[in-house]
Amino acid sequence: MREPGTLRFEILGPLRLWRGETELDAGPHQQRSLLKVLLAAAGQPLGIHDLIGLIWESEPPSSAVNIVHKYVSGLRRVLEPGLAARDCGTYLLRQGGGYRLSLGSAVADLPAFRRHLADAAACESMGAPARALDHYTDALRLVRGPAGGAPAETVRAAAVFTVFDSLFFDAAVAATEIAVRLGRSAEVLPALRLAAGMNPLHEPVHASLITALAAAGRQAEALATYRTIRGLLDEDLGIDPGPALIEAQRRVLTRTVPGHEASPACARCRRTHRRARPSRGWRRSPVRA
């Protein structure tokens, strides 16, 4: 149970806002966009013109400054319903000609995600892989989809949220290396599947998914995943799989993935793929009519 009245912000996926067990409506589309970029700023102030550039893709309206102020007032009423008129409240603070979001006693998924990643890196450096994996999996479980929801309102906002998606992809790959080594590959499969769905052409993520599936005894699914991304790379980009994917496939076929268990299905997969065309890892230019 969450503490009654505690605010909770979720941005590692579509924006969601809670007070205790009650989900709140953050308001109209651009007001929600304002809250998203302030959350992404992680407590740093954003100038009024930065906020305008993050909310409006094309030429903003002449009243953009007043509209931002209006959205701030609306968000303050959502976050603190009993706030007196003209009171700044606890969370949305005016600073340096702009605004910043101060979480105070509220909780949010993005700071927790970053803390778990930092703790995972620290545990790895101390030679504690099991504890590192625990922190990685705690971080990965916080992600529900593309940060901020998709699509982003502007190119600038998209660039901000893409950074968080990239952190998720990198963490999933790093966690897989440890999980496979420790025989805990099943723990990272949900995050890897989510990451692969978010970016169907991300080769390191798919290589990790293939490796984790094989380590979990799902050789047929691992090889099917390889065939899928190989086809997408060929069709969409006109390239062959890179070294990470080629190595992942080789380890599945040769049963050299740690924890790889022999199975009749695996034997059938090896026979099926034995005559498959070899992947050479070089990249060719797309050929289009």
Side-chain angles (χ1 to χ4, degrees):
M1 294 290 289
R2 304 183 186 101
E3 289 295 326
T6 298
L7 282 174
R8 182 164 64 94
F9 300 90
E10 295 180 356
I11 196 177
L12 296 176
L15 173 69
R16 299 187 75 179
L17 173 62
W18 304 78
R19 179 179 291 108
E21 297 292 326
T22 303
E23 187 165 8
L24 305 178
D25 181 358
H29 179 72
Q30 288 186 324
Q31 184 168 300
R32 296 173 62 86
S33 299
L34 175 63
L35 179 56
K36 286 193 291 186
V37 297
L38 286 168
L39 279 166
Q44 296 301 310
L46 291 176
I48 194 73
H49 294 293
D50 290 326
L51 290 169
I52 290 171
L54 287 162
I55 295 173
W56 281 278
E57 182 70 82
S58 56
E59 190 69 23
S62 58
S63 58
V65 172
N66 289 334
I67 293 173
V68 170
H69 293 323
K70 175 185 173 183
Y71 289 154
V72 168
S73 297
L75 287 171
R76 283 172 172 163
R77 289 192 295 272
V78 171
L79 301 178
E80 299 176 271
L83 200 62
R86 299 184 178 277
D87 192 338
C88 290
T90 305
Y91 301 103
L92 274 173
L93 307 178
R94 189 75 182 264
Q95 183 171 334
Y99 293 96
R100 72 180 180 92
L101 179 66
S102 175
L103 290 177
S105 60
V107 295
D109 54 1
L110 180 57
F113 178 75
R114 285 172 158 159
R115 284 195 302 271
H116 283 305
L117 293 188
D119 290 342
C123 289
E124 281 193 271
S125 67
M126 294 186 296
R131 289 170 55 197
L133 182 57
D134 289 340
H135 284 294
Y136 273 128
T137 54
D138 285 342
L140 296 173
R141 276 193 287 266
L142 293 171
V143 179
R144 298 170 289 112
E153 287 69 20
T154 66
V155 172
R156 288 182 60 187
V160 170
F161 296 119
T162 296
V163 170
F164 305 138
D165 293 339
S166 296
L167 287 174
F168 172 54
F169 299 150
D170 292 345
V173 171
T176 301
E177 294 178 4
I178 301 174
V180 170
R181 193 166 70 244
L182 297 181
R184 295 169 55 184
S185 58
E187 297 179 33
V188 296
L189 284 176
L192 287 169
R193 288 193 172 104
L194 175 60
M198 288 167 57
N199 192 335
L201 298 174
H202 195 295
E203 294 192 47
V205 163
H206 282 78
S208 295
L209 176 56
I210 291 164
T211 301
L213 285 167
R218 302 180 183 184
Q219 292 78 23
E221 187 178 351
L223 291 171
T225 300
Y226 175 81
R227 289 194 300 271
T228 297
I229 189 172
R230 184 182 67 186
L232 288 173
L233 290 170
D234 183 29
E235 180 179 351
D236 292 359
L237 302 179
I239 62 176
D240 283 334
L245 282 169
I246 293 171
E247 176 62 13
Q249 183 209 30
R250 184 196 67 79
R251 293 174 73 189
V252 177
L253 294 174
T254 58
R255 293 189 293 171
T256 53
V257 177
H260 192 294
E261 298 178 2
S263 68
C266 182
R268 287 195 300 273
C269 291
R270 292 199 306 279
R271 288 196 297 271
T272 300
H273 286 263
R274 190 169 294 143
R275 293 189 296 274
R277 65 177 178 89
S279 298
R280 291 175 289 176
W282 52 268
R283 298 171 182 268
R284 63 184 185 277
S285 299
V287 177
R288 293 288 182 267

